[in-house]
Amino acid sequence: MTRRLSALLFGALLFIAFGARAELTIEITQGVDEPVPVAVVPFGWAGTSALSEDVSKVVAADLYRSGLFKMMDRADMLSFPTRSEQVYFRDWRLGGQEYLVIGRVLPAAGGQLRVEFELHDVLKEQRLLGEQLTVRPGSLRKAAHYISDKVYEKLTGIPGAFSTEIVYVTSKKLGPDEFNYQLQLADADGANARIILESREPILSPSWSRDGKRIAYVSFETGRPAIYLQDKQSGARERVTGFRGLNGAPAWSPDGSRLAMTLSKDGNPEIYVLDIASRQFQRITRHYGIDTEPTWSADGRSIIFTSNRGGMPQIYSIELESGWVERLTFEGDYNARGSLTQDGRHLVMVHRNNGVFHIAVQDLKTGRLDVLTETYLDESPSIAPNGSMVIYGTQEGTREVLAVVSIDGTVKYKLPSREGNVREPAWSPYLQ
Amino acid sequence: MRVGNLSKAMAIAATVVWAAGCSTTSSTSDSADSMDQADQRAEQDAAAATGAGAGESMQGSQMGTDSSAMDQGAADVTDLQTVFYFDFDRAVVKSEAFEALTAHAQYLLDNPSAKAVLEGHADERGTREYNMALGERRAKAVSRYLTVQGVPGQQIETVSYGEERPAVVGHSEAAWSENRRVELKYESR
């Protein structure tokens, strides 16, 4: 009835900007008991003008943030080798280091830069990695994150997720009935934050397409909720739903062709799936309770959702083909916003115990539930594409901030912002 | 017909009272808290209403082309309570809201061109989209109270803001109980 599929660029009350933002800073609160010592030596650069980024500093910060590594202080380094033949392994061994990252930046054709890096095993005196990449001078930070990804993968066996991005919502109360909401995009380390949508009305539930090119979200810019899809690069957006009642919780299917969501157009909050190409909606749940917060299994065959059909909110899964519904959570009286790790083994959720909300993970094979966080009013967990970390929203004093916890609960850090509330983070997939 | 509606309303009221009685100890204390606040609020509202007398009569004279009954309705509705509070994770209209809601229903029945928007809200605890659904439940519970009294559905719209538009910012039960609410706003009188 009210299905209007309008493609619009700029609304009256909002504008899309790509301005610089106050960046989120990292504050590590907990790491593993015995982090592996790694030295990242300042990269060589023979050019006349200074580089825009200190590559080795970015790499060291990335590795440190994973909580798995202890970084050697530059002041403690006896030498700054930039090539294999300059490395005296004995010095690094005596300095207590297990691994060594060295590299150099060189001018390349067309004003580009060539970044070469190597990873060495200090104890075995062996080169583990050696690669080079050519980038535009403005992309040095990206190159650094790429190096971090490769080093992390070599040392842990898990691909790094340092080259990814996060989207999140910020809000400020300006007056008694006056608010400012922004949808922001930043690198995974909080750097390069930029506004991609701004409005006086609520913005919520950002969700990435699996190719990382588009973001779906809910905006109240018309005074009523509607789901929009926005192209990350161009900022072009279109409204895909504007039904009477709820239009919420968009979640992209793994193949990118469908969008699961919550609509109450038929009277009750239910899960629907929109086929993006044909614009056909398919109703998935049928229950008089609240059904919301859909997310997809990795194979795209099932949807995980929150329902209070048993009296209190719990997490269920529904197999799309058969309609078979299964309850997944039983511990605690409030479990919501579930999402599965890529391997389908673990369910990450918001869990309430004794009136306190935390992020928890449940092993679906053993049924074991572990509470990962001890911060306050934790919500909106989003899993990194490599499954190692969960970013979530929490409270610090009277402000909402983002925090990260490793999936095993051993590593924790916060991304405090300088002003306003920051919430609802969504971790991007791997980006090309 | 009207009698039938009234008995339905009574039945719902009875259910509501029963449900409130069944709630756990913690939510009973919740409701006690918010009842206190509702009382305070009612006092404030009453105080505000006496000061707003001039505004009312102006509105009355604007609308008063038809009957004196309508004048009466217009004057009444501005005095009424427009914010209704709820217990945690509940969408049950409390008994203290019945009187004001019944009067709103009467006003809507007397003024078929009037339109009310019911904005549902939740406190900050729990997940955002679940709270969005909860806010809608609350708005719909109020809507149902009005339609049971015979108000046509076209005169009522529900919108949920979930926890996105808190009335009071804070992490205390006092703030939460003021945020779990439905606000009735007249889009047109």
Side-chain angles (χ1 to χ4, degrees):
Chain A
M1 184 186 71
T2 49
R3 178 159 26 122
R4 276 172 291 166
L5 308 170
S6 54
L8 43 129
L9 270 168
F10 300 95
L13 281 174
L14 74 167
F15 29 94
I16 296 158
F18 292 90
R21 278 292 97 189
E23 288 178 358
L24 306 163
T25 50
I26 306 276
E27 202 180 281
I28 297 183
T29 47
Q30 188 183 315
V32 294
D33 287 342
E34 286 183 37
V36 175
V38 179
V40 184
V41 180
F43 278 31
W45 166 244
T48 45
S49 57
L51 292 172
S52 59
E53 292 288 345
D54 184 336
V55 174
S56 68
K57 205 170 157 184
V58 176
V59 173
D62 280 346
L63 296 177
Y64 177 59
R65 203 168 64 251
S66 76
L68 304 177
F69 306 105
K70 186 169 71 186
M71 312 315 298
M72 189 184 200
D73 202 323
R74 276 181 189 181
D76 297 334
M77 294 178 185
L78 298 176
S79 59
F80 292 154
T82 61
R83 298 178 178 280
S84 298
E85 54 272 22
Q86 299 165 344
V87 173
Y88 295 95
F89 284 107
R90 196 168 160 275
D91 287 352
W92 298 100
R93 206 158 49 234
L94 291 174
Q97 302 307 304
E98 288 184 26
Y99 298 96
L100 179 68
V101 179
I102 59 169
R104 57 233 159 244
V105 183
L106 306 158
Q112 304 216 93
L113 295 170
R114 195 166 82 238
V115 184
E116 301 177 352
F117 71 96
E118 299 171 20
L119 170 68
H120 294 271
D121 183 326
V122 171
L123 305 178
K124 290 183 183 157
E125 302 195 2
Q126 209 175 63
R127 195 174 91 148
L128 301 177
L129 271 180
E131 253 188 70
Q132 60 173 62
L133 50 153
T134 305
V135 297
R136 286 178 292 111
S139 298
L140 266 185
R141 214 180 159 87
K142 277 197 174 123
H145 291 315
Y146 175 85
I147 294 168
S148 307
D149 284 341
K150 292 294 158 189
V151 170
Y152 181 90
E153 181 167 12
K154 193 72 195 175
L155 299 184
T156 66
I158 303 161
F162 302 107
S163 299
T164 53
E165 294 177 326
I166 46 173
V167 287
Y168 49 89
V169 175
T170 67
S171 89
K172 267 184 268 183
K173 191 166 181 168
L174 305 175
D177 216 9
E178 211 184 325
F179 294 81
N180 172 269
Y181 299 86
Q182 296 178 350
L183 189 62
Q184 291 195 17
L185 181 67
D187 295 350
D189 60 0
N192 278 326
R194 57 249 192 229
I195 304 164
I196 59 170
L197 183 75
E198 189 165 19
S199 175
R200 281 181 224 164
E201 300 293 334
I203 301 169
L204 69 159
S205 302
S207 163
W208 288 88
S209 67
R210 294 302 161 108
D211 61 7
K213 289 181 175 156
R214 287 195 289 176
I215 295 160
Y217 53 83
V218 176
S219 168
F220 277 67
E221 65 202 54
T222 62
R224 301 288 180 271
I227 296 173
Y228 296 78
L229 308 184
Q230 182 165 327
D231 187 86
K232 195 185 91 179
Q233 212 62 42
S234 69
R237 13 182 260 141
E238 61 174 321
R239 189 171 81 176
V240 293
T241 75
F243 294 105
R244 213 181 160 86
L246 299 179
N247 294 264
W252 240 293
S253 67
D255 66 2
S257 70
R258 290 169 294 168
L259 200 64
M261 62 185 67
T262 305
L263 302 172
S264 60
K265 66 188 179 80
D266 298 324
N268 206 44
E270 303 282 1
I271 310 294
Y272 294 76
V273 169
L274 166 69
D275 183 277
I276 296 172
S278 71
R279 304 285 165 160
Q280 294 297 305
F281 288 88
Q282 187 195 350
R283 182 167 165 180
I284 305 301
T285 58
R286 274 169 208 284
H287 197 279
Y288 57 83
I290 291 172
D291 292 330
T292 186
E293 300 177 327
T295 57
W296 296 78
S297 65
D299 62 8
R301 287 185 177 167
S302 304
I303 283 177
I304 310 298
F305 65 100
T306 307
S307 177
N308 71 345
R309 57 186 63 194
M312 292 299 282
Q314 294 290 348
I315 299 167
Y316 295 76
S317 103
I318 183 166
E319 205 177 76
L320 292 178
E321 206 176 295
S322 65
W324 170 258
V325 175
E326 188 188 355
R327 180 170 163 179
L328 301 179
T329 54
F330 294 91
E331 205 173 308
D333 59 1
Y334 192 120
N335 292 299
R337 208 179 195 272
S339 54
L340 292 172
T341 50
Q342 195 62 24
D343 61 7
R345 169 97 192 237
H346 293 98
L347 176 70
V348 174
M349 68 189 97
V350 174
H351 168 77
R352 183 178 69 184
N353 199 9
N354 296 324
V356 183
F357 292 88
H358 286 314
I359 307 301
V361 60
Q362 183 175 323
D363 185 328
L364 291 180
K365 236 176 214 168
T366 65
R368 185 194 155 101
L369 182 131
D370 287 303
V371 175
L372 300 180
T373 58
E374 48 213 16
T375 33
Y376 183 66
L377 283 176
D378 304 333
E379 62 175 7
S380 308
S382 172
I383 308 169
N386 65 0
S388 67
M389 298 286 212
V390 178
I391 192 166
Y392 65 98
T394 185
Q395 297 275 343
E396 197 174 56
T398 57
R399 284 171 54 195
E400 295 168 61
V401 298
L402 305 186
V404 176
V405 61
S406 61
I407 199 94
D408 60 4
T410 55
V411 178
K412 291 168 182 171
Y413 63 89
K414 279 186 188 164
L415 292 98
S417 76
R418 288 189 198 104
E419 51 162 3
N421 293 306
V422 187
R423 62 167 79 125
E424 288 207 277
W427 209 314
S428 81
Y430 291 119
L431 304 168
Q432 285 83 0
Chain B
M1 182 63 194
R2 190 60 62 77
V3 175
N5 285 335
L6 190 64
S7 64
K8 266 190 258 174
M10 294 301 278
I12 283 185
T15 328
V16 167
V17 171
W18 172 80
C22 286
S23 58
T24 58
T25 2
S26 68
S27 61
T28 308
S29 68
D30 275 2
S31 68
D33 283 356
S34 33
M35 257 162 77
D36 288 345
Q37 265 161 7
D39 287 346
Q40 280 172 19
R41 179 161 295 270
E43 280 165 25
Q44 285 164 8
D45 283 354
T50 43
E56 279 159 46
S57 58
M58 214 169 79
Q59 197 147 30
S61 64
Q62 275 174 352
M63 297 187 71
T65 45
D66 296 342
S67 69
S68 61
M70 263 187 79
D71 277 306
Q72 194 59 45
D76 273 347
V77 82
T78 49
D79 289 352
L80 292 174
Q81 181 188 342
T82 55
V83 185
F84 306 97
Y85 298 93
F86 290 79
D87 289 339
F88 177 67
D89 202 32
R90 296 208 158 235
V92 179
V93 181
K94 294 192 193 181
S95 54
E96 64 252 33
F98 294 168
E99 198 186 325
L101 285 175
T102 306
H104 282 295
Q106 192 56 52
Y107 176 81
L108 287 163
L109 282 167
D110 292 344
N111 299 276
S113 62
K115 258 197 91 179
V117 179
L118 299 167
E119 294 182 357
H121 298 267
D123 72 32
E124 62 177 350
R125 295 172 296 165
T127 61
R128 286 176 181 274
E129 286 287 1
Y130 185 80
N131 282 339
M132 201 56 85
L134 191 57
E136 183 179 66
R137 277 282 154 107
R138 287 175 177 157
K140 286 204 165 157
V142 174
S143 168
R144 209 170 305 118
Y145 188 94
L146 298 175
T147 52
V148 161
Q149 322 239 353
V151 177
Q154 308 90 273
Q155 279 180 268
I156 311 165
E157 190 188 352
T158 57
V159 184
S160 176
Y161 283 92
E163 61 179 281
E164 309 302 317
R165 280 285 173 93
V168 177
V169 178
H171 303 318
S172 62
E173 177 53 40
W176 292 331
S177 61
E178 289 211 50
N179 290 333
R180 294 189 298 266
R181 70 202 192 275
V182 168
E183 293 187 20
L184 187 154
K185 293 180 177 170
Y186 283 100
E187 210 169 59
S188 59
R189 288 183 196 268

